[in-house]
Amino acid sequence: MAFDHSSQYQAADAAADVNRQLGQAYVEPGSEAGELQIVDPRRAAILEAWGRTLLPGDGAWPSGADVPFVGYVDRTLGLAAPLRPVVLQALDAVDEHASQTAGRGFADASDDERIAVLRWFEASKPLDFTLLKELAYEVYYRDPLVARAVFERTGFDTRLAVDGIEMESHNPALELLTEVGKRPSIVREVPS
Protein backbone atom coordinates (compact mmCIF):
# COMPACT_ATOMS: atom_id res chain seq x y z
CA MET A 1 0.00 0.00 0.00
CA ALA A 2 1.30 3.43 -0.89
CA PHE A 3 2.07 5.98 1.81
CA ASP A 4 -1.04 8.00 2.48
CA HIS A 5 -0.01 11.67 2.45
CA SER A 6 -3.35 12.82 3.79
CA SER A 7 -4.19 16.31 5.00
CA GLN A 8 -3.20 15.25 8.53
CA TYR A 9 0.34 14.48 7.36
CA GLN A 10 0.44 17.66 5.28
CA ALA A 11 -0.58 19.68 8.34
CA ALA A 12 2.18 18.04 10.37
CA ASP A 13 4.72 18.82 7.63
CA ALA A 14 3.56 22.44 7.50
CA ALA A 15 3.79 22.76 11.29
CA ALA A 16 7.31 21.31 11.25
CA ASP A 17 8.33 23.86 8.61
CA VAL A 18 6.85 26.72 10.67
CA ASN A 19 8.75 25.51 13.73
CA ARG A 20 11.98 25.34 11.71
CA GLN A 21 11.47 28.91 10.54
CA LEU A 22 10.71 30.13 14.06
CA GLY A 23 13.75 28.31 15.42
CA GLN A 24 15.97 30.29 13.05
CA ALA A 25 14.34 33.64 13.86
CA TYR A 26 15.51 34.55 17.34
CA VAL A 27 14.50 38.08 18.31
CA GLU A 28 16.72 39.47 21.04
CA PRO A 29 14.67 40.69 24.03
CA GLY A 30 14.47 44.46 23.97
CA SER A 31 15.03 44.68 20.20
CA GLU A 32 11.30 44.81 19.44
CA ALA A 33 11.14 48.59 19.74
CA GLY A 34 11.79 50.86 16.83
CA GLU A 35 10.42 51.43 13.38
CA LEU A 36 8.44 48.58 11.85
CA GLN A 37 10.11 47.03 8.80
CA ILE A 38 7.56 44.52 7.52
CA VAL A 39 4.17 45.28 9.06
CA ASP A 40 2.43 48.42 7.75
CA PRO A 41 0.42 50.69 10.12
CA ARG A 42 -2.99 49.18 9.23
CA ARG A 43 -1.76 45.65 9.92
CA ALA A 44 0.07 46.85 13.04
CA ALA A 45 -3.28 48.04 14.43
CA ILE A 46 -4.84 44.66 13.58
CA LEU A 47 -1.93 42.85 15.22
CA GLU A 48 -2.14 45.02 18.35
CA ALA A 49 -5.88 44.28 18.62
CA TRP A 50 -5.16 40.56 18.09
CA GLY A 51 -2.68 40.54 20.98
CA ARG A 52 -5.07 42.50 23.23
CA THR A 53 -7.89 40.06 22.41
CA LEU A 54 -5.84 36.89 22.81
CA LEU A 55 -4.23 38.10 26.06
CA PRO A 56 -6.71 40.56 27.59
CA GLY A 57 -5.02 40.94 30.97
CA ASP A 58 -6.64 42.25 34.13
CA GLY A 59 -5.56 44.25 37.17
CA ALA A 60 -2.81 41.75 38.07
CA TRP A 61 -1.75 40.64 34.59
CA PRO A 62 -0.58 42.82 31.70
CA SER A 63 -2.49 42.50 28.43
CA GLY A 64 -1.06 41.58 25.06
CA ALA A 65 -1.12 45.32 24.30
CA ASP A 66 1.27 45.96 27.20
CA VAL A 67 4.05 43.87 25.65
CA PRO A 68 5.86 44.58 22.34
CA PHE A 69 3.82 42.03 20.35
CA VAL A 70 3.69 44.06 17.13
CA GLY A 71 7.43 44.79 17.13
CA TYR A 72 8.24 41.17 17.99
CA VAL A 73 6.17 39.82 15.11
CA ASP A 74 7.68 42.42 12.77
CA ARG A 75 11.25 41.45 13.76
CA THR A 76 10.40 37.74 13.49
CA LEU A 77 9.05 38.23 9.96
CA GLY A 78 12.24 40.10 9.09
CA LEU A 79 14.25 37.04 10.09
CA ALA A 80 11.88 34.35 8.76
CA ALA A 81 10.77 35.57 5.34
CA PRO A 82 8.75 32.41 4.47
CA LEU A 83 6.39 33.23 7.35
CA ARG A 84 5.60 36.72 6.03
CA PRO A 85 2.78 35.76 3.66
CA VAL A 86 1.20 33.51 6.30
CA VAL A 87 1.06 36.27 8.91
CA LEU A 88 0.19 39.12 6.56
CA GLN A 89 -2.60 37.09 4.91
CA ALA A 90 -3.88 36.10 8.37
CA LEU A 91 -4.11 39.77 9.37
CA ASP A 92 -5.90 40.62 6.13
CA ALA A 93 -8.31 37.69 6.57
CA VAL A 94 -9.40 38.65 10.09
CA ASP A 95 -9.77 42.29 9.06
CA GLU A 96 -11.88 41.33 6.04
CA HIS A 97 -14.03 38.93 8.09
CA ALA A 98 -14.56 41.58 10.79
CA SER A 99 -15.62 44.07 8.09
CA GLN A 100 -18.12 41.58 6.69
CA THR A 101 -19.56 40.42 10.02
CA ALA A 102 -19.20 43.49 12.27
CA GLY A 103 -19.30 46.26 9.69
CA ARG A 104 -15.90 47.59 10.75
CA GLY A 105 -12.28 46.49 10.69
CA PHE A 106 -10.82 44.12 13.25
CA ALA A 107 -8.90 46.85 15.09
CA ASP A 108 -12.13 48.88 15.55
CA ALA A 109 -14.38 45.95 16.43
CA SER A 110 -15.67 45.36 19.96
CA ASP A 111 -14.10 42.71 22.20
CA ASP A 112 -16.93 40.25 21.51
CA GLU A 113 -16.71 40.85 17.76
CA ARG A 114 -12.92 40.31 17.78
CA ILE A 115 -13.31 37.12 19.81
CA ALA A 116 -15.87 35.81 17.31
CA VAL A 117 -13.56 36.67 14.39
CA LEU A 118 -10.58 34.94 16.02
CA ARG A 119 -12.70 31.85 16.73
CA TRP A 120 -13.71 31.79 13.08
CA PHE A 121 -10.10 32.17 11.99
CA GLU A 122 -8.88 29.46 14.37
CA ALA A 123 -11.50 27.06 12.95
CA SER A 124 -10.75 27.93 9.31
CA LYS A 125 -6.94 28.28 9.48
CA PRO A 126 -5.74 26.42 12.59
CA LEU A 127 -2.03 26.36 11.66
CA ASP A 128 -1.95 30.06 10.84
CA PHE A 129 -3.81 30.86 14.07
CA THR A 130 -1.39 28.70 16.05
CA LEU A 131 1.59 30.53 14.56
CA LEU A 132 0.29 33.90 15.73
CA LYS A 133 -0.74 32.45 19.08
CA GLU A 134 2.78 31.05 19.59
CA LEU A 135 4.34 34.41 18.71
CA ALA A 136 2.01 36.16 21.16
CA TYR A 137 2.83 33.70 23.95
CA GLU A 138 6.58 33.91 23.30
CA VAL A 139 6.77 37.68 23.57
CA TYR A 140 4.24 37.79 26.42
CA TYR A 141 5.89 35.32 28.78
CA ARG A 142 9.39 36.67 28.27
CA ASP A 143 8.37 40.27 28.93
CA PRO A 144 9.63 41.72 32.26
CA LEU A 145 6.11 42.94 33.21
CA VAL A 146 4.70 39.43 32.86
CA ALA A 147 7.73 37.80 34.51
CA ARG A 148 7.19 40.09 37.51
CA ALA A 149 3.48 39.20 37.64
CA VAL A 150 4.31 35.48 37.50
CA PHE A 151 6.87 35.87 40.29
CA GLU A 152 4.53 37.92 42.50
CA ARG A 153 1.70 35.42 42.12
CA THR A 154 3.64 32.15 42.18
CA GLY A 155 7.18 32.81 43.40
CA PHE A 156 8.52 31.28 40.18
CA ASP A 157 11.28 33.17 38.38
CA THR A 158 10.64 32.61 34.67
CA ARG A 159 14.20 33.63 33.79
CA LEU A 160 15.68 30.64 35.66
CA ALA A 161 14.85 28.34 32.75
CA VAL A 162 16.87 30.59 30.44
CA ASP A 163 19.60 31.98 32.68
CA GLY A 164 20.05 28.97 34.94
CA ILE A 165 21.05 28.98 38.59
CA GLU A 166 24.57 29.75 39.74
CA MET A 167 25.89 26.77 41.63
CA GLU A 168 29.08 25.94 43.41
CA SER A 169 31.30 23.91 41.15
CA HIS A 170 31.79 20.33 42.27
CA ASN A 171 33.28 17.99 39.76
CA PRO A 172 35.23 15.09 41.35
CA ALA A 173 36.89 14.23 38.03
CA LEU A 174 38.17 17.78 37.68
CA GLU A 175 39.52 17.69 41.23
CA LEU A 176 41.40 14.46 40.46
CA LEU A 177 42.84 15.90 37.26
CA THR A 178 44.03 18.97 39.16
CA GLU A 179 45.77 16.67 41.66
CA VAL A 180 47.44 14.68 38.86
CA GLY A 181 48.58 17.90 37.22
CA LYS A 182 50.54 18.81 40.37
CA ARG A 183 52.53 15.57 40.33
CA PRO A 184 55.95 15.39 38.70
CA SER A 185 56.08 14.04 35.18
CA ILE A 186 56.74 10.31 34.84
CA VAL A 187 57.57 10.67 31.17
CA ARG A 188 61.22 10.88 30.20
CA GLU A 189 61.99 13.89 28.04
CA VAL A 190 63.55 12.93 24.70
CA PRO A 191 66.16 15.33 23.34
CA SER A 192 65.23 16.79 20.01
Side-chain angles (χ1 to χ4, degrees):
M1 181 172 172
F3 178 73
D4 178 19
H5 204 68
S6 67
S7 62
Q8 180 181 5
Y9 289 113
Q10 291 172 358
D13 289 348
D17 187 48
V18 165
N19 289 334
R20 260 191 307 281
Q21 291 296 324
L22 287 176
Q24 297 171 359
Y26 178 71
V27 177
E28 189 73 33
S31 69
E32 305 93 347
E35 190 175 330
L36 298 177
Q37 303 297 314
I38 307 297
V39 179
D40 60 71
R42 181 186 66 83
R43 288 179 175 137
I46 298 165
L47 198 51
E48 187 275 330
W50 189 313
R52 188 168 16 106
T53 306
L54 191 61
L55 299 159
D58 62 18
W61 291 95
S63 79
D66 297 325
V67 301
F69 179 48
V70 175
Y72 181 77
V73 171
D74 186 71
R75 297 299 179 272
T76 300
L77 296 180
L79 297 168
L83 299 180
R84 286 179 198 168
V86 175
V87 172
L88 298 178
Q89 289 169 12
L91 297 174
D92 292 342
V94 297
D95 198 43
E96 176 65 27
H97 191 74
S99 293
Q100 291 172 355
T101 59
R104 55 189 157 193
F106 186 79
D108 298 322
S110 71
D111 290 345
D112 289 338
E113 291 166 339
R114 286 194 314 269
I115 290 168
V117 169
L118 288 183
R119 285 186 175 149
W120 163 82
F121 188 73
E122 181 180 23
S124 62
K125 297 274 195 172
L127 284 175
D128 299 358
F129 179 83
T130 299
L131 168 61
L132 278 151
K133 179 179 70 173
E134 292 289 329
L135 290 170
Y137 289 172
E138 278 183 28
V139 71
Y140 186 78
Y141 285 104
R142 77 180 198 172
D143 190 81
L145 286 173
V146 178
R148 188 171 30 258
V150 169
F151 185 76
E152 288 170 359
R153 294 181 69 127
T154 66
F156 178 70
D157 184 355
T158 59
R159 292 300 307 170
L160 291 179
V162 177
D163 299 335
I165 302 170
E166 192 169 326
M167 297 177 65
E168 186 178 314
S169 176
H170 179 70
N171 185 337
L174 189 57
E175 289 173 11
L176 289 173
L177 287 174
T178 303
E179 235 179 80
V180 170
K182 293 178 185 175
R183 296 180 186 164
S185 178
I186 59 170
V187 178
R188 181 172 49 111
E189 296 294 327
V190 178
S192 36

